[in-house]
Amino acid sequence: MTMIPTTSVTLGSSHEEEEVEEELLSLMMDNDVAPPTTTTTTTSSSFTPDQEKQIINDLIHVSGSNAKPGDLFYLLSNRWYMEWLRYTGQDSDENSTVSTVCRPGQIDNHHLVIGGSDSYGDDLELLKTLQEGHDYVLVSQDVWKILYDWYKGGPALPRKMISQGVANKTLLVEVYPLCLQLIDARDDKQYAIRISKKATVRDLYNQVSVLLKLDEEKFRIWDYFNKKKSSVLAVADQDLEDANLQMDQDILVEVEQHLWPSGLGLDSTGNGLALVPVEPARSSITIAGGPTQSNGYSSGYISNFYEGNALGSPLTGAEDGYNLSKMAKGDRGGLSGLQNLGNTCFMNSSIQCLVHTPSLVEYFLHDYSAEINKQNPIGMQGELAIAFGELLRKLWSSGRAPIAPREFKTKLARFAPQFSGYNQHDSHELLAFLLDGLHEDLNRVKFKPYIEIKDATGRPDEEVADECWEIHKARNDSVIVDVCQGQYKSTLVCPVCGKVSVTFDPFMYLSLPLPSTVTRSMTITVFYGDGSALPMPYIVTVPKHGLYKDLFQALGTACCLNSDELLLLAEVYDHGIFRYLVNPLEQLFTIKDEEHIVAYRLPKKQEGFTRLEIVHESKEKKRLGTPLVTFIAEAAQKSEDVQNAVQMVLSPLLKVKVCHPSNCIHTSMEDGFASENDIDGLFNAGNSGCRLRNQSVDKMELDQLSNGMDSFILSLTDEKGMHCSSIENDFHFRQDQFMRVILDWSDREYGMYNISFLEDLPVVHKTTTKKIRSEAISLFSCLEAFLKEEPLGPDDMWYCPTCKEHRQATKKLDLWRLPEILVVHLKRFSYSRYLKNKLDTFVNFPTHNLDLRNYVKSNVAARSHTYELYAISNHYGGLGGGHYSAYAKLSKENRWYHFDDSHVSSINEDEIKTSAAYVLFYQRVQEKRVDESSQVHSSSG
């Protein structure tokens, strides 16, 4: 049990607070967390930041160890959660000082739901592009209750935990329940139904029965994917996921008719009946290559796929639009797209690259039944290989109608729960799983022998490498090993005794780091807290992996900060200050390119002053513009003192006079801000003074304007703009270090001030699709970075058999044996505790004659080391809202195509090199073709 130190905070004693206290105390005691010894309530004011951290962390530990299907978890804004982590001293830098970090305001989850702050009610719909760890975090119901009791806010976004997977069950929170578009066949009315994908068909009938006020025996529900009747949902106990229902697809409800065939729908007892296709399908192809006849009934996709040696392929599916019967006649294929089933572009991209791998196409279009391994305990009983083979056949049938990979996605979710649901995933992670899964399902070794590896000491590398490869092949022998696996040499050297350890290991792909640039440009808009100048955006260059203090210093130099001034940086979100950037030891990667960062130029001496934050609001009570920050003396406690401070900081925006050209450094404005050329002019105007002051209104004119001018309409508010109180003429405020007011913009303010200077803030860095070839790196430099010698990390120490201790050895990788198909993964994504980041560096890679002979250390030159590109998996945009597509080459046509989900179009070869390239697929070039080539690309050429 965790003991919380005693506190002695005096709070109110309302009936509501007493109820909160009782619930909170009960919750803490139920979870074996001891409350503080106090005679007051246990609202958040009762606890220090360290105490809050202890309570929440203990509850997180308890909920994590006791989680089970059906438990409720809640989405919590990652923005708000990061603020709470900083407040409780759990930020990314252990040495950081958090004494200046303010306590978070109310929980605000509105940016996670459609409609934002205008959304209300219990049935709120999440935005489709949310990413865990980027937009939200998940907390248990107990953690949510305590945080809500402490901070209030919302809205509450509860989600249930479900169990996924077949052999290895995985607990996942179903953030996006299945959303089905129900169509009533009687009047074509449509309804949205949200239901768990782990709910049964019976549960769906119950929900529809209540919605339409129908008896369950009086209607039937059709799988109506792509507006086509596929089959009646009739297996009562079948999961909706196993029924292949997809996010946002249609289902059709037909009410009882006298002409219904018997056996359709659920019977009166709710017993399950077999799925009934709309019409029996015929297929002339089986996995074994011989003819077969379908019995007209779907077997649940795989369950009855094979009987003995004759494996009947259920290649049916009216919604897919493919024609397999013509495939054997050599008709043109391979140009079908894949429908996006809801953030499945990552899957579509990887699949298109694999199904355009020539050796895999040849394999799966022929008889591979004898190689299906149902006995492999770490395989998937052959089901993944069969599902992939069927999908490949569909894509290589004649015609170009897009295919809906519903059955394949269902299988994928069963065996790889991490890819279930409708969140965006990494195409390379999926590719790695598919290659490994296909290998295990097609492993020709039914019973893996145990083979002891001999010591390599004193033996030639060639002998040891061949021995290791034979041992590997004795346990792992499949088409994937034949085609995709190579071998590298790993050398470890002890830094103390010099012991050398050499091993030879197989690889399926090469994950190459990208040598990235070391700097980053950031655009920050500087506002003057004393109202002496207009806001100005500055572009500064900082270390990419630097700290906030590097940004403070660079920005201070750029704006010629005086010795008696400081810069207070803040992130502006939704026309309010979301957070202040005050910790100099915070890492810069926590500031994302798409964010809006401002800096307030303020006096360094702040003792005896109150920081005043001014938020702008329209007549419609909607926030607008950018907040302003200034200081007023704590001795000033009257409303006129606040009025004067607001008037001062707004003075540069007055429309009274325009700036004379001879007195201004910048002369053109774009969207209320100086253009980039003007910024350059500012730094080049050496004799004009570094500080850009607005000379349109001097102090005398300002005093004259203020005389007789009506007061601003101001309201004192809390951190979230709630609980406003009007600041009247006789208003007196208490001394404090911080004050936030709302300024109502009436017609008078719009007439006097140019609010455009407070709008359209530039983002930190605007990403463009332009290829910056000057910063390009070669594929060879990535490979050399992968192969270079480097010390192991402190968390990856090597046990030296000579020293008998763990040592931080040096490690060197070398390519030894190259595969027929070489898959190259460019490591564009970096991950940390708080952030995922992407490198958009342009990598210059060869499309023809990639020569790797200089990197292969084996002396046996039995095969060519030259490769030709045939497919690319691309990733565009950022991590939250990115998109995947694929480029693939049809070898028979010698022509490239762009596969963008359902859309397929031809593309010129000189257009396939982009900064979006993520995974490259190369095929070995035969020696004869290499000899005929006029140019070979290598590290030296």
Side-chain angles (χ1 to χ4, degrees), residues 906-924:
S906 61
I907 185 173
N908 294 328
E909 187 175 284
D910 57 4
E911 297 178 291
I912 64 174
K913 287 188 180 183
T914 71
S915 59
Y918 183 43
V919 184
L920 308 175
F921 293 77
Y922 284 94
Q923 183 177 23
R924 189 196 306 275

Side-chain angles (χ1 to χ4, degrees), residues 492-495 499-501 792 796-801 805-809:
L492 290 170
V493 180
C494 177
K499 166 68 177 178
V500 178
S501 172
L792 296 176
D796 191 24
M797 306 281 274
W798 172 64
Y799 182 78
C800 176
E805 291 186 25
H806 285 89
R807 300 295 190 191
Q808 193 170 1

Side-chain angles (χ1 to χ4, degrees), residues 347 351 384 387-388 391 405-412 434:
M347 180 181 76
I351 289 175
L384 183 67
F388 178 80
L391 182 57
R406 295 199 295 163
E407 295 89 347
F408 180 82
K409 185 179 185 300
T410 299
K411 289 296 177 185
L412 186 66
L434 281 179

Side-chain angles (χ1 to χ4, degrees), residues 530-545:
D530 60 358
S532 61
L534 290 168
M536 168 69 82
Y538 290 88
I539 300 176
V540 295
T541 301
V542 294
K544 177 172 289 188
H545 302 291

